[in-house]
Amino acid sequence: MNTFTLDDLKTLALKRAGPCVSIFLPTHRSAVETHGDRVRFKQLLRAAEEQLVAGGMRSPAAKSILEPVHRLAEDPAFWRQPGDGMAVFAADDLFRVFHLPLALEESVAVAPRFHVKPLLPLLRDDGRFYVLALSQNAVRLLVGSHFGINEVTPEHMPQGLAEALQSDEVEKSHQFHTISSPGAGGPFAMFHGHGEGHDDSKDRITRYFQQVNHGIHRMLHIENVPLVLAGVQYLQPMYRDVNTYTHLLPEGITGNPDDRTAAELHAAAWALVEPRFARARNDAVDAYHRWSGTARASNHLEAVVPAAYQGRVETLLVAAGVQRWGQYDPDADRLDVHAVPGPGDDDLLDFAAIKTLLTGGRVYSMPTDAMAEDSPLAAVFRY
């Protein structure tokens, strides 16, 4: 599986030179069910081509946009990748595929922009976290939510102590000097500066962990989601000593992570992060009620949607499974809300959530009955 990030959301949300094809499919892990997935995927491809042609595109141009998608349909290796859902986005100059830990509803959409709302649960602040499974033999970084977890591969990070030490040869060369050994028939290297035995081993592990932290920092430095450390008890404080990621949890998963599956790591990590998410969500609700009735908060579409577009929403609460259709014209600062979706309409709740996420705000999904005054959204604005 591959993760869906804020950068991916930005790439897709800013794409405007349509038509844009968005395909969503629930997927399965057994070979028998995977065959059915491929059949349904081909049906969605035919529907996408029909919609492109019905929208005025010539058939050769429609086939050109969908050519890389057709290649996926015929690639057996592609269908062996695990995941609960698959999202495919295709346009004349953009193609993205995501295997995800989220069971997506089967659908296809052809529109002037990509349809990204089904993936928003993966980015909301009420469930995303990372797990760093760290041992001397291996490193795994996993991104999870309450839906599931999947592994990612950061660049610039060693995959074990041996690899870290190999890449550290330049540094180590300055800590060796060569002398002649009487009777030994040649030179040998003498190590300086790190002691022997246990001290030397600890120093090598520390340098290994510094490289791991460097890779983590490069990937997560703009993130503000929890990171859970999984490792044997004596290694955890050594990594924490070199860690620079602000949101590393003080609690960790103890034991050899090499012996744990991704599902086992997910269950152990979720037990640690879920109470924190619940507190953050409750704090967001409390903040809205604290500012309700002032210029710092609103639950009116006419106020929240423009503010989200302008990057003024700090926290957004959105009712799950609810839509409000319409269009926002930023040039005229005019919002039109429609009872049923019409040509060119957006789901305004989706629109507000995307703009809030892309401008550094937080978005929380809420049960409908938990929303204030029966409104489908509520926002706290930045100062």
Side-chain angles (χ1 to χ4, degrees):
M1 286 186 287
N2 52 332
T3 188
F4 181 72
T5 68
L6 281 173
D7 284 341
D8 295 318
L9 176 65
K10 183 175 182 180
T11 297
L12 296 173
L14 295 181
K15 170 67 178 172
R16 285 294 181 271
C20 299
V21 178
S22 308
I23 298 175
F24 303 97
L25 181 73
T27 55
H28 304 84
R29 298 170 189 266
S30 73
V32 174
E33 291 176 308
T34 296
H35 175 73
D37 293 342
R38 293 178 69 179
V39 171
R40 292 195 303 278
F41 186 65
K42 291 179 181 180
Q43 293 171 345
L44 293 174
L45 272 176
R46 285 195 293 272
E49 185 171 342
E50 290 170 359
Q51 290 185 37
L52 286 168
V53 173
M57 179 173 285
R58 295 173 62 87
S59 181
K63 292 182 183 297
S64 176
I65 286 178
L66 295 176
E67 181 182 357
V69 191
H70 280 288
R71 288 200 296 268
L72 295 182
E74 303 302 331
D75 182 0
F78 172 80
W79 292 96
R80 287 195 293 268
Q81 299 184 51
D84 299 309
M86 182 176 69
V88 178
F89 301 96
D92 57 355
D93 60 348
L94 191 151
F95 177 60
R96 295 285 190 279
V97 182
F98 300 93
H99 289 275
L100 303 163
L102 176 64
L104 301 166
E105 184 176 345
E106 182 177 317
S107 66
V108 58
V110 176
R113 58 175 60 90
F114 288 116
H115 181 50
V116 297
K117 185 177 182 182
L119 305 189
L120 288 185
L122 297 169
L123 298 178
R124 286 171 175 159
D125 287 292
D126 51 358
R128 198 160 63 97
F129 61 92
Y130 287 90
V131 176
L132 176 60
L134 184 60
S135 74
Q136 294 188 55
N137 296 320
V139 183
R140 286 185 290 165
L141 182 66
L142 305 98
V143 59
S145 68
H146 67 278
F147 299 105
I149 199 165
N150 59 283
E151 192 165 335
V152 295
T153 306
E155 298 180 357
H156 313 290
M157 192 167 78
Q159 293 304 301
L161 176 60
E163 182 180 316
L165 294 183
Q166 286 176 0
S167 65
D168 209 21
E169 287 299 326
V170 174
E171 178 183 341
K172 289 195 300 180
S173 68
H174 296 298
Q175 299 163 341
F176 283 80
H177 73 267
T178 302
I179 62 174
S180 295
S181 173
F188 68 93
M190 180 172 288
F191 190 67
H192 288 285
H194 296 285
E196 298 179 355
H198 175 75
D199 289 340
D200 180 41
S201 175
K202 182 176 180 180
D203 179 78
R204 289 187 297 161
I205 293 172
T206 297
R207 287 186 284 133
Y208 162 42
F209 284 176
Q210 287 171 339
Q211 291 188 36
V212 173
N213 173 69
H214 177 70
I216 293 292
H217 183 81
R218 289 191 62 157
M219 180 173 178
L220 305 186
H221 68 280
I222 62 172
E223 295 273 11
N224 57 7
V225 299
L227 173 64
V228 179
L229 179 62
V232 295
Q233 189 167 7
Y234 79 91
L235 290 180
Q236 291 211 22
M238 295 176 65
Y239 182 79
R240 294 180 187 280
D241 284 344
V242 303
N243 169 67
T244 58
Y245 181 64
T246 306
H247 305 287
L248 178 66
L249 265 59
E251 311 92 347
I253 302 170
T254 303
N256 185 357
D258 298 347
D259 297 332
R260 298 201 183 198
T261 65
E264 291 169 338
L265 290 170
H266 175 261
W270 183 249
L272 297 176
V273 299
E274 195 278 333
R276 292 174 174 267
F277 292 142
R279 286 196 299 272
R281 192 163 50 248
N282 291 338
D283 288 345
V285 173
D286 290 344
Y288 170 75
H289 287 299
R290 186 167 63 251
W291 293 107
S292 181
T294 74
R296 281 287 315 276
S298 177
N299 64 350
H300 298 293
L301 278 170
E302 295 77 8
V304 175
V305 171
Y309 180 86
Q310 296 158 10
R312 294 191 292 109
V313 174
E314 180 179 274
T315 304
L316 182 68
L317 309 175
V318 182
V322 179
Q323 291 81 38
R324 290 292 185 272
W325 299 100
Q327 298 182 32
Y328 175 63
D329 181 350
D331 295 328
D333 192 24
R334 186 182 70 246
L335 181 71
D336 296 322
V337 183
H338 304 144
V340 295
D345 276 3
D346 286 310
D347 175 357
L348 297 173
L349 306 185
D350 181 20
F351 179 87
I354 290 171
K355 294 299 182 183
T356 299
L357 288 168
L358 292 178
T359 53
R362 295 179 176 274
V363 177
Y364 295 93
S365 180
M366 303 291 293
T368 304
D369 57 7
M371 298 300 296
E373 303 172 13
D374 296 325
S375 175
L377 84 175
V380 175
F381 303 130
R382 293 187 169 100
Y383 285 105

